[in-house]
Amino acid sequence: TMSKISLMKESFVEVHLDKSNNVIVAKWIGFLRPDDVRKGCAFMTRYIKEKHLTSHLSDHRQLKVLSKEVQDYLTGQWFPEVEKVGLTKVGAVLADDVFAAATVSKVNKEAKIGNLQINMFNSEPECVNWLLN
């Protein structure tokens, strides 16, 4: 079984450490306001830095919508920020319908920022497997 350590619990995000795999996991919920995302991400940056973590799983399956503003914040600010503190992999788990839409759109399934690799999956086991290899 995965040993989970709960780190943050808000209406818009639940963050835990998957201790067996040393992966920080964020489960985003509902309609995200940019301030909420900043709050969750700032917390994770500190924790990633403090614990020298390299892998992050971002669970978007309960997400209603990811606004342009939030996407721009993640790619323009947060990803470069966590890359600087040592994160090397971000795997996002998307809902099947969102995943299908995202792969068809201009959104690149795989991206890279410095040493940080970003990839999208439509199942959690697939994502964890990629993060650990």
Side-chain angles (χ1 to χ4, degrees):
T1 56
M2 282 205 310
S3 49
K4 291 182 178 182
I5 299 170
S6 183
L7 303 174
M8 180 186 203
K9 209 171 167 67
E10 299 273 356
S11 59
F12 54 88
V13 71
E14 288 172 19
V15 180
H16 72 263
L17 180 70
D18 165 356
K19 209 175 177 221
S20 47
N21 295 317
N22 218 21
V23 172
I24 187 167
V25 178
K27 182 175 12 170
W28 297 99
I29 301 151
F31 292 94
L32 298 178
R33 298 197 316 254
D35 284 353
D36 293 340
V37 176
R38 283 195 180 87
K39 186 177 174 183
C41 286
F43 171 83
M44 285 194 285
T45 302
R46 287 193 300 273
Y47 195 85
I48 287 162
K49 187 178 181 179
E50 193 183 305
K51 304 287 181 191
H52 308 288
L53 299 176
T54 58
S55 300
H56 171 49
L57 188 152
S58 190
D59 186 345
H60 294 189
R61 288 172 297 186
Q62 290 181 43
L63 199 60
K64 293 283 180 274
V65 70
L66 200 59
S67 70
K68 177 89 175 75
E69 194 179 346
V70 167
Q71 286 179 35
D72 290 348
Y73 163 71
L74 293 173
T75 55
Q77 289 180 45
W78 194 61
F79 289 157
E81 197 176 286
V82 281
E83 190 265 345
K84 280 194 191 78
V85 298
L87 205 69
T88 59
K89 281 185 170 183
V90 172
V93 182
L94 307 184
D96 291 348
D97 52 342
V98 180
F99 187 80
T103 49
V104 170
S105 79
K106 289 196 187 77
V107 178
N108 198 349
K109 200 164 80 79
E110 295 176 42
K112 212 166 176 336
I113 292 171
N115 292 317
L116 181 66
Q117 297 176 62
I118 301 133
N119 213 335
M120 293 177 194
F121 301 89
N122 53 359
S123 85
E124 194 169 335
E126 222 186 336
C127 185
V128 171
N129 189 40
W130 175 78
L131 287 172
L132 300 181
N133 287 304

